[in-house]
Amino acid sequence: MNLHGLRLFHAIVKYGGVTRAAEELNISQPAVSSQVKRFERELGIVLFGSEGRKLVLTDAGKHLMDYAERLFMLEQEVEQFVEDMREGRKGLIRLTATYLPANFLLPSWIATFKQTHEDVELVVSTSNTQMAFDQLFRYEAEIAIYGGSGVSHPGVHWDKLFEDEMWFVVHPDHPYAGQNITLHEMMAEPFVMREKGSATRERLAALCTTNNLPSPRITLQFNGLNETISAVKAGYGANFISSLVVREDVIQGKLARVYVQNVQLQNTIAICTRAGEQLTPAARQLVQWIRKEALAMHSAINH
């Protein structure tokens, strides 16, 4: 099928004649006429008849025009689809996040992003640190939003958003609530922590190793942040956690900080992607959006 010839035929019918079609296509009138006649010969069917000086469609021409309309309408849809993908207005983004950003940061960030990117499909999964990077390397996710110590991973590009403090917290009635104590005293307490593979749990263990102390006594374990916080609020044990998670609870008196001497650890919030790979346009726009939201949120906390 000579698509150029079909396009000329379609233009003649659409614009009501050879002269107007030639003007719209910026082609000379004789060229349009000769190429359409050649198209008819190639097809072996007559597309136009005449009534005086007026061109009219034959039955075959009418049927072909129906097909041409559908074909060129589909062409416009394809062009629009490609433009939407190129401009990031459409696309599929698979995103994985560790528990801290997944529960306390991403919901509001993604909700506001979706308000202006309704046709971008987002699939979000929540996992611990090791699982998040596994998903990234297995191409099950394009982006990982990480909250933890910021340790390097080979093959991962880190885009650090900001840092927050790590706090020890207990129930407000706990003897250490609001007190300044040693790390040795703090480690004598039972801890409520996340499962193995959690970056925060590994940092607590590393803190003990660095200071030649026994491993922390993790006597209650949950596969989620909210559960660990709820247990401490109920009056059991201590927790080592990002200040982002418990700041409001401490302000409201539902939890209390314990100030441990010579322990000032930071928690890194970062966007992680596979090193050396270009993100899709939609994913790039999401990353830009998250950067903007993170900057605004961090500035608000610090002021």
Side-chain angles (χ1 to χ4, degrees):
M1 170 65 71
N2 180 348
L3 287 180
H4 177 64
L6 182 64
R7 197 177 300 277
L8 293 177
F9 161 75
H10 178 264
I12 291 171
V13 179
K14 179 179 178 181
Y15 296 115
V18 173
T19 303
R20 178 75 189 284
E23 292 173 353
E24 292 293 334
L25 298 174
N26 198 26
I27 304 174
S28 70
Q29 184 175 332
V32 173
S33 297
S34 64
Q35 290 182 54
V36 167
K37 287 178 181 176
R38 183 188 310 147
F39 180 57
E40 284 184 304
R41 290 195 299 271
E42 290 172 356
L43 295 178
I45 58 177
V46 177
L47 302 175
F48 293 106
S50 61
E51 292 179 356
R53 300 182 62 181
K54 180 180 178 183
L55 283 177
V56 294
L57 285 172
T58 63
D59 286 341
K62 291 176 182 178
H63 284 296
L64 185 61
M65 184 60 184
D66 288 340
Y67 285 118
E69 285 279 2
R70 285 151 58 187
L71 177 62
F72 294 129
M73 183 67 71
L74 181 60
E75 179 187 45
Q76 291 177 9
E77 291 177 10
V78 170
E79 290 175 347
Q80 185 63 55
F81 168 77
V82 171
E83 182 181 349
D84 287 342
M85 292 292 290
R86 186 172 55 240
E87 298 299 321
R89 292 190 291 266
K90 286 187 178 180
L92 169 64
I93 306 172
R94 290 187 173 89
L95 184 148
T96 185
T98 58
Y99 284 92
L100 167 61
N103 285 276
F104 297 91
L105 301 174
L106 274 180
S108 62
W109 292 350
I110 288 177
T112 52
F113 177 79
K114 283 290 289 182
Q115 289 172 14
T116 54
H117 297 76
E118 189 174 345
D119 292 328
V120 175
E121 183 180 355
L122 280 161
V123 179
V124 183
S125 62
T126 303
S127 60
N128 62 36
T129 298
Q130 186 56 56
M131 290 171 61
F133 286 110
D134 286 346
Q135 287 179 315
L136 202 61
F137 294 136
R138 290 198 301 261
Y139 286 79
E140 295 171 0
E142 195 171 5
I143 301 168
I145 308 298
Y146 169 84
S149 61
V151 294
S152 62
H153 271 255
V156 174
H157 172 73
W158 290 77
D159 183 2
K160 188 171 79 172
L161 297 173
F162 61 86
E163 290 183 332
D164 70 301
E165 295 179 316
M166 298 297 296
W167 288 357
F168 289 95
V169 293
V170 293
H171 188 274
D173 294 336
H174 192 284
Y176 289 160
Q179 299 299 305
N180 193 312
I181 65 172
T182 65
L183 182 61
H184 184 272
E185 291 173 309
M186 189 73 243
M187 288 304 107
E189 293 299 303
F191 274 82
V192 184
M193 295 296 291
R194 291 257 318 283
E195 77 285 354
K196 290 182 179 179
S198 158
T200 303
R201 176 168 172 162
E202 291 176 357
R203 291 190 77 184
L204 183 61
L207 183 62
C208 292
T209 301
T210 302
N211 288 274
N212 296 314
L213 293 173
S215 297
R217 292 196 304 122
I218 299 174
T219 55
L220 189 54
Q221 172 181 300
F222 291 99
N223 287 353
L225 278 176
N226 290 316
E227 295 88 341
T228 64
I229 300 165
S230 295
V232 177
K233 284 181 182 178
Y236 182 78
N239 192 255
F240 180 61
I241 197 165
S242 163
S243 62
L244 282 174
V245 180
V246 293
R247 184 181 302 274
E248 287 303 314
D249 287 326
V250 170
I251 291 172
Q252 295 171 13
K254 297 175 182 178
L255 289 170
R257 285 189 67 182
V258 181
Y259 299 90
V260 178
Q261 298 165 13
N262 302 318
V263 175
Q264 291 181 325
L265 295 179
Q266 299 293 310
N267 192 54
T268 298
I269 308 298
I271 301 171
C272 299
T273 54
R274 289 183 292 273
E277 289 191 18
Q278 185 174 358
L279 293 173
T280 64
R284 286 200 302 271
Q285 290 197 13
L286 176 61
V287 167
Q288 292 169 1
W289 186 273
I290 289 175
R291 284 199 199 106
K292 184 186 74 170
E293 293 291 303
L295 178 62
M297 187 206 69
H298 190 52
S299 298
I301 288 175
N302 290 334
H303 291 86

